[in-house]
Structures are given as structure tokens and as C-alpha cells.
Amino acid sequence: MADLQAILDSIYTDILPRVGEGKVADYIPELAKIDPRQFGMTIVTVDGKVYRVGDADIAFSIQSISKVFMLTLALGKVGESLWKRVGREPSGSAFNSIVQLEHESGIPRNPFINAGAIAVTDVVMAGHAPREAIGELLRFVRYLADDESITIDDKVARSETQTGYRNVALANFMRAYRNLDHPVEHVLGVYFHQCALSMNCEQLARAGLFLAARGSNPMTGHSVVSPKRARRINALMLTCGHYDGSGDFAYHVGLPGKSGVGGGIFAVAPGIASIAVWSPGLNKVGNSQLGAVALEMLAARTGWSVFGD
Ligand code: GLU
């Protein structure tokens, strides 16, 4: 395999002059305070080697990347019947579009736009009090990463609870269409806490390693999902993981990935490695600007694109 540390170092050298580009997610007041001049990246290979560069050990708000973990839990609970509640098509619209939800009668396009993720959270809540559902997710992510120190940032969750008006609208809409079983405040309470999971690049890459390794984490030996399910989650990340920037990400990077407005991107090179990159400045569609640039460099320098080198 290529010298991955040398590749990461070369990416860092090329990115450094641009650090600070993009705009932090100021619609969540607590995230508006984050200094955009940060960049970190970690690669964990399926044979258990870890490579890191820059601010890879600083914890950040993983936001929508949490939707991958919630989706994994929901599929584990209800299997394929999940797809009665949410679709599997790219949205081509903003992550918080209300127009599309009305047009499609309360069935969100995919599990990674906000409406879809809120429906997935509702599925995971079945039989649980909201607090228990949050606990289940936190335990799951700690188990995946094999790291008990992972926490949820209550300040970020509170900040979004106070200002997440669009998500309140989306959730009410779905409740009106009977696509939410639990009270809107309860579902959003869980959703805002899942988004407020705080992890660094290394924890995130470790937590998602099972998706690069046919459903099992080779570092811990934990079997998480079947190879088929891992493949399908990767397919959804490739087609829907970057909102209305998904096509562009596939074009430039060519790896399944999921972004979050905290500036993180998690990506998978199937059979090879999982990757987490973080830089808080976002582009127009709400994806980490330099994170995407760094992943494009990585794909070009390693030949890891799923479409060939
Ligand atoms: N908590 C954020 C929201 O619902 C997640 C969006 C994202 O990370 O893309 O607006």
C-alpha cells in the first residue's frame, strides 16, 4: 500500500494555506462560535493501522454524520420495513427542505436529509423513553469505536433545541402525515442529542470502520451488520450523503461519505479504510469545504475511488 502518512502529510501541506475557508454553521448558535481555522484528518485501515494529521484529536460536533449510526440501529430493529417510512433516492434539495416533504406526502426522500433522519430516529425510539434512546445510541457509538470517552455535548443540543425551527416544522409535518409515532418534542429531543455527539477524527474513523470491512470491526472483532447491509449503507452514503452536493462529491471524490454541518466528513474506501476529516468552514450546500478538497486529494493520490483509479 502507498505510504499513507506521506500522503496525509502532503495533503496537510497543500491545505494549510487555505485553512479558514468556508463559513461555519451559524444557524446553530453554539456552532457559530467555532474557530474555522482548524483541520484534521485520520485514516484507519482495515488491517488496523491509524494515520493522522493536524487537529485529528480535537472533538467536534458530528451533527448529520450521526444519521449513519442511527440508520444502522434502525435497520437492526425493523429491517427492510424501514423503507415504508423513508425513501432511498437522492434529494437534489437542501437538507432541510420543507417543499419536498409536502410534495411527497410526508415520506422523506432518504434517511440522510433532516426529515428522513427524524423519521429514522422515531423508529429507533419504539419502546424507549427519549432518554433511553439517546443512551442506546451513545452506547452503540462507544461500542463501535471501542472508546468509552465519547460524549454528547449538551450545550450544542440545547442550542439547537432553542433554535431548530425548521426541524420543528419538518417533524410536525410528518406527524400530520402520521409518519411519526412519538410526540414531536420527544423525537426532536433525541435527534438534537444525536447530532450533538462530540467525537474527534480518530474516534469517528474507528466507529465507522465496520462499513469499510464488510460489516465487522477488524480492530475489535465486533460483528456489527451483515456484509450486505454494510454495502447498502455505503450505497446510500454515496448517493445521498452530501445533500444536494452528493453528485458533486461522487464526481470529485468517488467514495461513500456522510457530511455534517459541524464540518466533519466520514468516508469509506470499501475493503481498504475508513476516513474522517474535519474542518469547520462549510461550502454553500453545508458540507465542509476543505474536508471535501482533502478527500478529493486523498482519492487522487491513493486511487481509492470506488470507480477506479
Ligand atoms: N443538526 C443539524 C440540523 O438538523 C444537522 C444538519 C447537518 O449536519 O447537515 O440542522
Side-chain angles (χ1 to χ4, degrees), residues 27-28 63-64 67 95 114 160 167 191 195 243 259-262:
Y27 77 98
I28 301 175
Q63 292 294 317
S64 282
K67 294 170 182 174
F95 65 99
N114 284 10
E160 220 185 337
N167 287 323
Y191 173 75
C195 289
Y243 308 122
S259 68
V261 293

Side-chain angles (χ1 to χ4, degrees), residues 41 46 100 108 152 249:
M41 193 166 185
V46 295
Q100 188 168 65
I152 288 173
F249 189 82

Side-chain angles (χ1 to χ4, degrees):
M1 192 179 298
D3 182 347
L4 290 179
Q5 190 59 49
I7 290 177
L8 271 190
D9 291 340
S10 74
I11 292 172
Y12 194 49
T13 306
D14 293 345
I15 290 277
L16 261 186
R18 299 179 59 180
V19 165
E21 274 183 21
K23 211 168 145 286
V24 294
D26 54 6
Y27 77 98
I28 301 175
E30 205 53 35
L31 296 185
K33 298 180 189 161
I34 306 289
D35 181 354
R37 287 164 305 175
Q38 302 183 81
F39 175 91
M41 193 166 185
T42 298
I43 299 173
V44 180
T45 59
V46 295
D47 52 5
K49 297 200 180 69
V50 182
Y51 304 86
R52 51 180 93 68
V53 80
D55 302 313
D57 57 352
I58 298 184
F60 60 91
S61 192
I62 74 162
Q63 292 294 317
S64 282
I65 302 170
S66 66
K67 294 170 182 174
V68 177
F69 303 122
M70 248 339 181
L71 173 66
T72 307
L73 277 181
L75 285 168
K77 285 205 163 174
V78 301
E80 295 290 303
S81 71
L82 180 69
W83 307 119
K84 292 191 202 123
R85 306 273 307 265
V86 58
R88 296 191 298 263
E89 293 297 337
S91 67
S93 311
F95 65 99
N96 52 10
S97 172
I98 291 172
V99 176
Q100 188 168 65
L101 190 59
E102 164 136 51
H103 192 66
E104 295 177 346
S105 311
I107 306 291
R109 268 290 169 98
N110 67 61
F112 294 147
I113 52 173
N114 284 10
I118 291 166
V120 167
T121 297
D122 185 66
V123 167
V124 171
M125 288 171 70
H128 284 314
R131 192 178 291 276
E132 291 163 357
I134 296 168
E136 184 181 2
L137 176 71
L138 184 59
R139 273 195 304 281
F140 183 52
V141 172
R142 286 176 172 172
Y143 168 82
L144 291 176
D146 195 22
D147 189 335
E148 290 297 312
S149 72
I150 295 170
T151 54
I152 288 173
D153 186 335
D154 285 320
K155 275 214 220 113
V156 173
R158 210 171 313 125
S159 182
E160 220 185 337
T161 307
Q162 286 159 358
T163 56
Y165 306 112
R166 287 190 78 97
N167 287 323
V168 174
L170 292 169
N172 274 297
F173 220 93
M174 286 192 289
R175 182 88 165 153
Y177 276 105
R178 299 183 196 285
N179 196 15
L180 283 193
D181 294 336
H182 301 90
V184 163
E185 315 75 69
H186 291 187
V187 184
L188 288 180
V190 177
Y191 173 75
F192 292 143
H193 280 82
Q194 81 181 54
C195 289
L197 265 169
S198 181
M199 295 167 80
N200 63 33
C201 287
E202 185 163 338
Q203 291 167 330
L204 187 55
R206 282 174 188 268
L209 187 60
F210 72 98
L211 290 170
R214 306 182 77 245
S216 298
N217 183 331
M219 290 174 97
T220 58
H222 295 156
S223 165
V224 184
V225 296
S226 66
K228 178 171 163 189
R229 184 155 290 163
R231 189 169 74 234
R232 290 181 154 173
I233 294 171
N234 286 337
L236 287 164
M237 288 202 291
L238 184 80
T239 50
C240 311
H242 289 77
Y243 308 122
D244 38 344
S246 298
D248 208 49
F249 189 82
Y251 182 84
H252 286 288
V253 179
L255 297 173
K258 181 73 203 86
S259 68
V261 293
I265 303 179
F266 165 68
V268 174
I272 306 171
S274 62
I275 306 126
V277 57
W278 170 61
S279 185
L282 307 180
N283 62 19
K284 286 195 301 299
V285 290
N287 300 321
S288 173
Q289 173 139 334
L290 294 182
V293 171
L295 285 167
E296 183 174 358
M297 291 175 177
L298 181 74
R301 293 173 197 187
T302 55
W304 284 354
S305 163
V306 296
F307 303 107
D309 48 6

